[in-house]
Amino acid sequence: MPAFLKKLLPPEPVNRKTLGVLLVSVVSLLVLHYGQQDFVYVWLRPSLLTIFKGLDTGLVHFLWWAILCILSYVVVPVIFLLSIRERNLKEFGLSSNIDLKQGKGYMLLLLPMLPLVFLASFLPSFQSTYPFWNPDAGSTLWPNLLIWELAYAMQFFALEFFFRGFIVHGCKQTLGWYAVPVMMIPYVMIHFPKPLPEALGSIAAGWVLGMLSFHSKSIWYGVLMHIAVAWTMDFLSLYHRGLLG
């Protein structure tokens, strides 16, 4: 092999599973990024409107986003794991053996956040942002809102599985706890388009949720915490705008 090609290879043997997890993560993020481009949605829009016939057109657009998140964050990684004959997906944060004592750390994070969310819900900028989906003129709130919130929750499961499950637990045998900061880099990057406070908050959230998943070997409390905060934000915003009455 030519010397310059050897320089492209790692200087030490690398765990193939860890390398595969990192490479698949890059592919998943590329699929998510380019799948959200306008030209992709314009191409798929007629088919999506047929599949979700009768739903609010704005909701259909966000349903595509949720589907894309599940495809990128769950389907692609799972296909990779099955391709390397990794059958025990529970090792990637999906363990059902949840210790209620482990939930205390998450509750300590959640309880201070809810009052902050309540105070922020009075801000016009908050009410104009959440929920991401807003009813089209003339469309009804129900059952569209229920469909949106369920899709939103599935997106958070996909997010937690990818970052706190697939990456953290897929890399920990080689990287140890360094798998958490490795995961944090792309996690923070996907928050770059969001408001600065939320982007900065993703640093702390990425670290805390990553370390808690690393030690508990489960993503489920992180999923529940994400959903609880997101649903609270949406319903408070709708309440202040008088759309729930």
Side-chain angles (χ1 to χ4, degrees), residues 41-71:
Y41 181 70
V42 169
W43 178 58
L44 292 173
R45 188 173 186 270
S47 299
L48 291 170
L49 290 177
T50 300
I51 295 171
F52 299 108
K53 186 177 180 180
L55 293 184
D56 179 297
T57 55
L59 176 59
V60 172
H61 196 165
F62 280 109
L63 287 178
W64 165 242
W65 168 71
I67 292 170
L68 190 59
C69 288
I70 295 169
L71 173 66

Side-chain angles (χ1 to χ4, degrees), residues 189-211:
M189 290 177 70
I190 67 170
H191 288 79
F192 283 172
K194 298 187 176 183
L196 181 59
E198 188 172 352
L200 293 175
S202 69
I203 299 174
W207 174 267
V208 172
L209 292 175
M211 292 303 294

